[in-house]
Amino acid sequence: MDNDFYEYSRSARRQSTENEKPKNIMTKIIIIQLILSLAVTGILFAVCRTDGKLSKNIKSFYSDISQKDMSVSEVFGVFKRVAQSTFAPSIKQEDTYKENEESTNETSAPSGETVSYKAGEKAIFSPVYLTVKLLTPVDSKNITSNFGYRISPITGEYSLHTGLDIAAPKGTKITAAYSGTVEKADFNDTRGNYIIIKHSDSLKTTYNHCSELLVTEGTVLRAGETIALVGSTGAATGDHLHFEITVDGKYIDPLWVLTDAF
């Protein structure tokens, strides 16, 4: 009888100990999470106190999350943009669009016209496939700034770089990426000398910062014809072509359709 009682007591203690193990592990995990949360909060608080621009970005992104339903991937995208705005290196060229604001600025509208739009309706970030093959508009593989969000080297603000910057010596020939009609050949302070070619009702390409324009509005072009020369007119810090592609008025990443060239 005593032996049975002893075995029962030992078994009960063992079971009690095994039940406590998961609780202890969960307690440790919760404590670690609390410590990490407090540490991250403290770091962000300290950084925001010394960096007003970062504080503004975080408040803006938090507002995005709190005011609308978002998927997990979209939430991670918000945090990625915060990190990029904090740590992204400066790039050399300038053609940007500020997020989270409306604009009727002629210099940043997809068609070069005065167009009203809302944030989030300007660009397509997913892969894009075109049924036509576009040619690389300048003979250079020196990409100095990709499509996407970055810290503008001119304004110092976090914004969308709406095209692809390809550096080349001043005077290098710029050619039409595809056949079409010149919709706009003009100058403004941001784009400098620029050309917009309409290839179809939905597809357009834009060529900014040219030193000289060699075509006029209404000119009908074949793919590969010379339309301008590389320069640094407008808001630019060096000789390059800022090349944009829009589909149905929205910017897309040129590298999705110019992959063979780079």
Side-chain angles (χ1 to χ4, degrees):
M1 190 73 172
D2 291 341
N3 288 338
D4 290 343
F5 178 76
Y6 173 75
E7 289 297 331
Y8 172 78
S9 298
R10 187 169 63 176
S11 175
R13 285 197 301 272
R14 185 185 305 114
Q15 185 174 1
S16 176
T17 302
E18 290 174 353
N19 289 337
E20 288 178 357
K21 285 181 179 179
K23 294 180 180 178
N24 291 336
I25 292 173
M26 288 302 299
T27 300
K28 290 179 181 179
I29 291 174
I30 292 172
I31 291 173
I32 291 172
Q33 288 177 334
L34 287 173
I35 292 172
L36 289 175
S37 298
L38 290 172
V40 171
T41 301
I43 292 171
L44 285 176
F45 178 77
V47 173
C48 288
R49 286 294 297 272
T50 58
D51 189 338
K53 189 175 296 180
L54 174 60
S55 177
K56 183 180 178 181
N57 283 335
I58 291 175
K59 288 178 181 178
S60 174
F61 295 144
Y62 177 76
S63 177
D64 282 349
I65 294 175
S66 61
Q67 291 180 7
K68 63 182 179 181
D69 294 331
M70 300 179 73
S71 66
V72 173
S73 61
E74 289 175 323
V75 172
F76 276 115
V78 168
F79 286 113
K80 181 180 178 181
R81 294 201 299 274
V82 172
Q84 287 177 332
S85 68
T86 308
F87 303 109
S90 293
I91 314 289
K92 291 184 179 181
Q93 316 298 345
E94 170 64 10
D95 272 282
T96 57
Y97 159 70
K98 295 180 184 178
E99 191 184 23
N100 297 328
E101 67 179 35
E102 293 190 2
S103 173
T104 55
N105 189 336
E106 181 181 352
T107 65
S108 58
S111 65
E113 305 290 343
T114 301
V115 177
S116 178
Y117 54 80
K118 292 183 179 180
E121 299 177 350
K122 278 275 290 183
I124 300 172
F125 293 94
S126 57
V128 174
Y129 175 78
L130 298 181
T131 57
V132 298
K133 181 176 177 59
L134 300 188
L135 303 177
T136 304
V138 63
D139 186 15
S140 173
K141 297 183 182 297
N142 185 12
I143 297 176
T144 54
S145 188
N146 289 303
F147 174 90
Y149 285 96
R150 69 174 188 178
I151 301 297
S152 166
I154 292 180
T155 66
E157 297 180 355
Y158 182 66
S159 49
L160 174 63
H161 186 233
T162 55
L164 187 69
D165 287 346
I166 309 172
K170 182 177 181 179
T172 301
K173 292 181 179 180
I174 299 172
T175 58
Y178 192 66
S179 57
T181 303
V182 177
E183 181 178 78
K184 195 91 171 178
D186 206 347
F187 173 88
N188 66 40
D189 292 338
T190 298
R191 295 177 182 267
N193 293 317
Y194 71 97
I195 294 171
I196 298 175
I197 300 177
K198 181 177 180 180
H199 305 286
S200 68
D201 289 339
S202 60
L203 178 64
K204 297 180 183 181
T205 54
T206 303
Y207 313 76
N208 293 348
H209 308 308
C210 308
S211 61
E212 185 179 350
L213 304 182
L214 304 178
V215 294
T216 57
E217 294 178 15
T219 303
V220 178
L221 300 166
R222 292 173 296 179
E225 282 195 81
T226 301
I227 58 173
L229 304 178
V230 170
S232 58
T233 56
T237 59
D239 293 322
H240 74 289
L241 169 66
H242 173 85
F243 177 60
E244 296 172 351
I245 302 175
T246 58
V247 176
D248 293 326
K250 296 185 179 182
Y251 295 105
I252 68 169
D253 186 348
L255 287 181
W256 283 119
V257 293
L258 296 177
T259 304
D260 294 342
F262 297 97

Short mmCIF file of all heavy atoms in Angstrom, two decimals, residues 44-89:
data_model
loop_
_atom_site.label_atom_id
_atom_site.label_comp_id
_atom_site.label_asym_id
_atom_site.label_seq_id
_atom_site.Cartn_x
_atom_site.Cartn_y
_atom_site.Cartn_z
N LEU A 44 12.61 54.15 -31.44
CA LEU A 44 11.84 54.99 -32.35
C LEU A 44 11.57 56.36 -31.73
O LEU A 44 11.64 57.38 -32.41
CB LEU A 44 10.51 54.31 -32.69
CG LEU A 44 10.57 53.14 -33.68
CD1 LEU A 44 9.20 52.51 -33.83
CD2 LEU A 44 11.09 53.60 -35.04
N PHE A 45 11.24 56.37 -30.44
CA PHE A 45 10.98 57.64 -29.76
C PHE A 45 12.22 58.53 -29.79
O PHE A 45 12.14 59.72 -30.10
CB PHE A 45 10.57 57.38 -28.31
CG PHE A 45 10.33 58.63 -27.52
CD1 PHE A 45 9.16 59.36 -27.67
CD2 PHE A 45 11.28 59.09 -26.62
CE1 PHE A 45 8.94 60.52 -26.96
CE2 PHE A 45 11.07 60.25 -25.90
CZ PHE A 45 9.90 60.97 -26.06
N ALA A 46 13.38 57.91 -29.50
CA ALA A 46 14.62 58.69 -29.48
C ALA A 46 14.97 59.22 -30.86
O ALA A 46 15.35 60.38 -31.03
CB ALA A 46 15.76 57.83 -28.94
N VAL A 47 14.80 58.37 -31.89
CA VAL A 47 15.13 58.78 -33.25
C VAL A 47 14.17 59.87 -33.74
O VAL A 47 14.58 60.86 -34.34
CB VAL A 47 15.09 57.57 -34.21
CG1 VAL A 47 15.25 58.03 -35.66
CG2 VAL A 47 16.19 56.58 -33.87
N CYS A 48 12.87 59.68 -33.45
CA CYS A 48 11.88 60.66 -33.90
C CYS A 48 12.09 62.02 -33.24
O CYS A 48 11.80 63.05 -33.83
CB CYS A 48 10.47 60.14 -33.60
SG CYS A 48 9.97 58.78 -34.68
N ARG A 49 12.58 62.02 -32.00
CA ARG A 49 12.83 63.29 -31.32
C ARG A 49 13.95 64.08 -32.00
O ARG A 49 13.99 65.30 -31.96
CB ARG A 49 13.22 63.03 -29.85
CG ARG A 49 12.07 62.62 -28.97
CD ARG A 49 11.05 63.73 -28.80
NE ARG A 49 11.62 64.90 -28.14
CZ ARG A 49 11.64 65.06 -26.82
NH1 ARG A 49 11.11 64.13 -26.03
NH2 ARG A 49 12.17 66.15 -26.28
N THR A 50 14.88 63.34 -32.65
CA THR A 50 16.01 64.00 -33.31
C THR A 50 15.83 64.11 -34.82
O THR A 50 16.59 64.81 -35.47
CB THR A 50 17.31 63.23 -33.02
OG1 THR A 50 17.17 61.88 -33.46
CG2 THR A 50 17.61 63.23 -31.52
N ASP A 51 14.85 63.40 -35.39
CA ASP A 51 14.64 63.41 -36.84
C ASP A 51 13.17 63.67 -37.13
O ASP A 51 12.35 62.77 -37.14
CB ASP A 51 15.07 62.05 -37.44
CG ASP A 51 15.09 62.08 -38.97
OD1 ASP A 51 14.41 62.95 -39.55
OD2 ASP A 51 15.79 61.25 -39.57
N GLY A 52 12.83 64.94 -37.35
CA GLY A 52 11.44 65.31 -37.59
C GLY A 52 10.87 64.68 -38.83
O GLY A 52 9.68 64.37 -38.90
N LYS A 53 11.70 64.49 -39.87
CA LYS A 53 11.23 63.92 -41.13
C LYS A 53 10.78 62.48 -40.95
O LYS A 53 9.74 62.04 -41.45
CB LYS A 53 12.34 64.00 -42.17
CG LYS A 53 11.88 63.63 -43.58
CD LYS A 53 13.01 63.85 -44.56
CE LYS A 53 13.37 65.32 -44.60
NZ LYS A 53 14.47 65.58 -45.56
N LEU A 54 11.58 61.70 -40.19
CA LEU A 54 11.22 60.31 -39.92
C LEU A 54 9.94 60.25 -39.11
O LEU A 54 9.06 59.43 -39.37
CB LEU A 54 12.36 59.61 -39.17
CG LEU A 54 12.06 58.17 -38.70
CD1 LEU A 54 11.74 57.29 -39.88
CD2 LEU A 54 13.23 57.62 -37.92
N SER A 55 9.82 61.14 -38.12
CA SER A 55 8.61 61.17 -37.29
C SER A 55 7.38 61.43 -38.15
O SER A 55 6.34 60.78 -37.99
CB SER A 55 8.75 62.26 -36.23
OG SER A 55 7.56 62.36 -35.47
N LYS A 56 7.51 62.34 -39.11
CA LYS A 56 6.40 62.65 -40.01
C LYS A 56 6.03 61.45 -40.86
O LYS A 56 4.85 61.14 -41.06
CB LYS A 56 6.79 63.83 -40.90
CG LYS A 56 5.69 64.28 -41.84
CD LYS A 56 6.15 65.47 -42.68
CE LYS A 56 5.07 65.90 -43.66
NZ LYS A 56 5.52 67.04 -44.49
N ASN A 57 7.05 60.72 -41.37
CA ASN A 57 6.80 59.54 -42.19
C ASN A 57 6.07 58.46 -41.40
O ASN A 57 5.12 57.84 -41.88
CB ASN A 57 8.12 58.97 -42.73
CG ASN A 57 8.66 59.79 -43.88
OD1 ASN A 57 7.92 60.46 -44.58
ND2 ASN A 57 9.96 59.77 -44.07
N ILE A 58 6.53 58.21 -40.16
CA ILE A 58 5.92 57.18 -39.34
C ILE A 58 4.47 57.51 -39.04
O ILE A 58 3.59 56.65 -39.12
CB ILE A 58 6.72 57.00 -38.03
CG1 ILE A 58 8.10 56.38 -38.34
CG2 ILE A 58 5.97 56.10 -37.05
CD1 ILE A 58 9.00 56.26 -37.15
N LYS A 59 4.19 58.77 -38.71
CA LYS A 59 2.81 59.19 -38.43
C LYS A 59 1.94 59.01 -39.67
O LYS A 59 0.80 58.57 -39.58
CB LYS A 59 2.79 60.65 -37.99
CG LYS A 59 3.36 60.87 -36.60
CD LYS A 59 3.34 62.35 -36.24
CE LYS A 59 3.94 62.58 -34.86
NZ LYS A 59 3.99 64.03 -34.51
N SER A 60 2.50 59.33 -40.83
CA SER A 60 1.75 59.20 -42.08
C SER A 60 1.43 57.74 -42.37
O SER A 60 0.31 57.39 -42.73
CB SER A 60 2.55 59.81 -43.23
OG SER A 60 1.91 59.57 -44.46
N PHE A 61 2.44 56.85 -42.20
CA PHE A 61 2.23 55.44 -42.48
C PHE A 61 1.27 54.80 -41.47
O PHE A 61 0.45 53.97 -41.81
CB PHE A 61 3.56 54.70 -42.47
CG PHE A 61 4.49 55.14 -43.58
CD1 PHE A 61 5.85 55.20 -43.37
CD2 PHE A 61 4.00 55.50 -44.81
CE1 PHE A 61 6.70 55.62 -44.38
CE2 PHE A 61 4.84 55.92 -45.83
CZ PHE A 61 6.20 55.98 -45.61
N TYR A 62 1.39 55.21 -40.19
CA TYR A 62 0.47 54.71 -39.17
C TYR A 62 -0.96 55.12 -39.50
O TYR A 62 -1.91 54.36 -39.32
CB TYR A 62 0.86 55.22 -37.79
CG TYR A 62 -0.11 54.78 -36.72
CD1 TYR A 62 -0.09 53.48 -36.23
CD2 TYR A 62 -1.06 55.67 -36.22
CE1 TYR A 62 -0.99 53.07 -35.27
CE2 TYR A 62 -1.97 55.27 -35.26
CZ TYR A 62 -1.93 53.97 -34.78
OH TYR A 62 -2.82 53.57 -33.83
N SER A 63 -1.11 56.33 -39.99
CA SER A 63 -2.43 56.82 -40.39
C SER A 63 -3.01 55.96 -41.50
O SER A 63 -4.20 55.64 -41.51
CB SER A 63 -2.34 58.28 -40.84
OG SER A 63 -3.60 58.75 -41.29
N ASP A 64 -2.14 55.54 -42.46
CA ASP A 64 -2.60 54.67 -43.54
C ASP A 64 -3.16 53.37 -42.99
O ASP A 64 -4.20 52.87 -43.42
CB ASP A 64 -1.44 54.35 -44.49
CG ASP A 64 -1.15 55.50 -45.43
OD1 ASP A 64 -1.97 56.43 -45.49
OD2 ASP A 64 -0.10 55.46 -46.10
N ILE A 65 -2.45 52.78 -42.01
CA ILE A 65 -2.85 51.49 -41.45
C ILE A 65 -4.15 51.62 -40.68
O ILE A 65 -5.04 50.78 -40.78
CB ILE A 65 -1.75 50.94 -40.52
CG1 ILE A 65 -0.49 50.62 -41.33
CG2 ILE A 65 -2.21 49.69 -39.80
CD1 ILE A 65 0.67 50.19 -40.48
N SER A 66 -4.28 52.68 -39.89
CA SER A 66 -5.41 52.81 -38.98
C SER A 66 -6.70 53.24 -39.68
O SER A 66 -7.79 53.01 -39.16
CB SER A 66 -5.08 53.83 -37.87
OG SER A 66 -4.83 55.10 -38.43
N GLN A 67 -6.59 53.85 -40.85
CA GLN A 67 -7.77 54.39 -41.50
C GLN A 67 -8.40 53.46 -42.54
O GLN A 67 -9.45 53.75 -43.08
CB GLN A 67 -7.44 55.73 -42.16
CG GLN A 67 -7.15 56.83 -41.15
CD GLN A 67 -6.82 58.14 -41.82
OE1 GLN A 67 -6.92 58.28 -43.04
NE2 GLN A 67 -6.40 59.12 -41.03
N LYS A 68 -7.75 52.34 -42.85
CA LYS A 68 -8.34 51.44 -43.83
C LYS A 68 -7.90 50.00 -43.57
O LYS A 68 -6.88 49.76 -42.92
CB LYS A 68 -7.91 51.85 -45.26
CG LYS A 68 -6.42 51.77 -45.51
CD LYS A 68 -6.09 52.23 -46.93
CE LYS A 68 -4.60 52.17 -47.20
NZ LYS A 68 -4.26 52.63 -48.54
N ASP A 69 -8.70 49.07 -44.06
CA ASP A 69 -8.36 47.66 -43.92
C ASP A 69 -7.20 47.34 -44.85
O ASP A 69 -7.20 47.71 -46.02
CB ASP A 69 -9.56 46.77 -44.28
CG ASP A 69 -10.70 46.93 -43.29
OD1 ASP A 69 -10.40 47.25 -42.12
OD2 ASP A 69 -11.86 46.73 -43.67
N MET A 70 -6.21 46.62 -44.32
CA MET A 70 -5.03 46.29 -45.12
C MET A 70 -4.68 44.82 -44.94
O MET A 70 -4.88 44.26 -43.86
CB MET A 70 -3.83 47.15 -44.70
CG MET A 70 -4.04 48.64 -44.86
SD MET A 70 -2.61 49.61 -44.33
CE MET A 70 -1.47 49.27 -45.66
N SER A 71 -4.18 44.21 -46.00
CA SER A 71 -3.71 42.84 -45.90
C SER A 71 -2.37 42.81 -45.18
O SER A 71 -1.72 43.84 -45.01
CB SER A 71 -3.56 42.24 -47.30
OG SER A 71 -2.53 42.91 -48.01
N VAL A 72 -1.95 41.61 -44.80
CA VAL A 72 -0.67 41.47 -44.10
C VAL A 72 0.47 41.97 -44.98
O VAL A 72 1.37 42.67 -44.52
CB VAL A 72 -0.42 39.99 -43.71
CG1 VAL A 72 0.98 39.82 -43.14
CG2 VAL A 72 -1.45 39.54 -42.69
N SER A 73 0.43 41.65 -46.28
CA SER A 73 1.50 42.08 -47.18
C SER A 73 1.55 43.60 -47.30
O SER A 73 2.62 44.20 -47.39
CB SER A 73 1.30 41.46 -48.57
OG SER A 73 0.07 41.88 -49.13
N GLU A 74 0.37 44.25 -47.27
CA GLU A 74 0.34 45.71 -47.35
C GLU A 74 0.91 46.34 -46.09
O GLU A 74 1.61 47.35 -46.14
CB GLU A 74 -1.09 46.19 -47.57
CG GLU A 74 -1.63 45.90 -48.96
CD GLU A 74 -3.09 46.28 -49.10
OE1 GLU A 74 -3.85 46.10 -48.14
OE2 GLU A 74 -3.48 46.75 -50.18
N VAL A 75 0.61 45.71 -44.93
CA VAL A 75 1.16 46.22 -43.67
C VAL A 75 2.68 46.11 -43.68
O VAL A 75 3.40 47.05 -43.31
CB VAL A 75 0.58 45.46 -42.46
CG1 VAL A 75 1.30 45.86 -41.18
CG2 VAL A 75 -0.91 45.74 -42.33
N PHE A 76 3.19 44.95 -44.13
CA PHE A 76 4.64 44.80 -44.23
C PHE A 76 5.23 45.82 -45.21
O PHE A 76 6.33 46.32 -45.02
CB PHE A 76 5.01 43.37 -44.68
CG PHE A 76 5.06 42.39 -43.55
CD1 PHE A 76 4.16 41.33 -43.50
CD2 PHE A 76 5.99 42.52 -42.53
CE1 PHE A 76 4.19 40.43 -42.45
CE2 PHE A 76 6.03 41.63 -41.48
CZ PHE A 76 5.13 40.57 -41.44
N GLY A 77 4.46 46.14 -46.27
CA GLY A 77 4.93 47.13 -47.23
C GLY A 77 5.07 48.50 -46.59
O GLY A 77 6.01 49.25 -46.89
N VAL A 78 4.14 48.83 -45.68
CA VAL A 78 4.22 50.11 -44.98
C VAL A 78 5.49 50.18 -44.15
O VAL A 78 6.23 51.16 -44.18
CB VAL A 78 2.98 50.31 -44.08
CG1 VAL A 78 3.20 51.49 -43.13
CG2 VAL A 78 1.75 50.56 -44.93
N PHE A 79 5.77 49.09 -43.39
CA PHE A 79 6.98 49.08 -42.57
C PHE A 79 8.24 49.11 -43.44
O PHE A 79 9.25 49.70 -43.07
CB PHE A 79 6.99 47.85 -41.66
CG PHE A 79 6.02 47.94 -40.53
CD1 PHE A 79 4.93 47.10 -40.45
CD2 PHE A 79 6.18 48.91 -39.54
CE1 PHE A 79 4.03 47.19 -39.42
CE2 PHE A 79 5.27 49.01 -38.50
CZ PHE A 79 4.20 48.15 -38.43
N LYS A 80 8.16 48.48 -44.62
CA LYS A 80 9.30 48.51 -45.53
C LYS A 80 9.57 49.93 -45.99
O LYS A 80 10.73 50.37 -46.08
CB LYS A 80 9.03 47.60 -46.74
CG LYS A 80 10.18 47.56 -47.73
CD LYS A 80 9.85 46.65 -48.90
CE LYS A 80 10.97 46.64 -49.92
NZ LYS A 80 10.66 45.78 -51.08
N ARG A 81 8.49 50.70 -46.28
CA ARG A 81 8.67 52.07 -46.72
C ARG A 81 9.26 52.93 -45.61
O ARG A 81 10.06 53.82 -45.87
CB ARG A 81 7.33 52.65 -47.19
CG ARG A 81 6.78 51.98 -48.44
CD ARG A 81 5.80 52.87 -49.15
NE ARG A 81 4.65 53.20 -48.36
CZ ARG A 81 3.55 52.46 -48.27
NH1 ARG A 81 3.48 51.31 -48.92
NH2 ARG A 81 2.53 52.85 -47.55
N VAL A 82 8.85 52.63 -44.34
CA VAL A 82 9.44 53.37 -43.22
C VAL A 82 10.94 53.11 -43.17
O VAL A 82 11.75 54.03 -43.00
CB VAL A 82 8.78 52.96 -41.88
CG1 VAL A 82 9.53 53.58 -40.71
CG2 VAL A 82 7.33 53.40 -41.85
N ALA A 83 11.32 51.83 -43.31
CA ALA A 83 12.74 51.49 -43.26
C ALA A 83 13.50 52.13 -44.41
O ALA A 83 14.60 52.66 -44.24
CB ALA A 83 12.92 49.96 -43.31
N GLN A 84 12.88 52.12 -45.62
CA GLN A 84 13.54 52.72 -46.76
C GLN A 84 13.72 54.22 -46.57
O GLN A 84 14.75 54.79 -46.93
CB GLN A 84 12.73 52.46 -48.04
CG GLN A 84 12.83 51.03 -48.53
CD GLN A 84 11.97 50.80 -49.75
OE1 GLN A 84 10.95 51.45 -49.96
NE2 GLN A 84 12.36 49.85 -50.58
N SER A 85 12.71 54.86 -45.99
CA SER A 85 12.81 56.30 -45.80
C SER A 85 13.88 56.66 -44.78
O SER A 85 14.40 57.76 -44.77
CB SER A 85 11.47 56.86 -45.33
OG SER A 85 11.16 56.42 -44.03
N THR A 86 14.20 55.69 -43.89
CA THR A 86 15.22 55.93 -42.87
C THR A 86 16.62 55.62 -43.37
O THR A 86 17.58 56.36 -43.13
CB THR A 86 14.94 55.06 -41.62
OG1 THR A 86 13.59 55.26 -41.21
CG2 THR A 86 15.87 55.45 -40.48
N PHE A 87 16.75 54.51 -44.10
CA PHE A 87 18.08 54.03 -44.44
C PHE A 87 18.42 54.08 -45.92
O PHE A 87 19.55 53.78 -46.32
CB PHE A 87 18.24 52.57 -43.98
CG PHE A 87 17.99 52.40 -42.51
CD1 PHE A 87 16.85 51.75 -42.05
CD2 PHE A 87 18.88 52.91 -41.59
CE1 PHE A 87 16.61 51.61 -40.70
CE2 PHE A 87 18.65 52.76 -40.22
CZ PHE A 87 17.52 52.11 -39.78
N ALA A 88 17.44 54.44 -46.83
CA ALA A 88 17.70 54.42 -48.26
C ALA A 88 18.82 55.39 -48.63
O ALA A 88 18.81 56.53 -48.17
CB ALA A 88 16.44 54.78 -49.05
N PRO A 89 19.78 54.96 -49.45
CA PRO A 89 20.85 55.87 -49.86
C PRO A 89 20.37 56.88 -50.88
O PRO A 89 19.39 56.65 -51.59
CB PRO A 89 21.87 54.92 -50.51
CG PRO A 89 21.03 53.80 -51.03
CD PRO A 89 19.91 53.62 -50.03
#
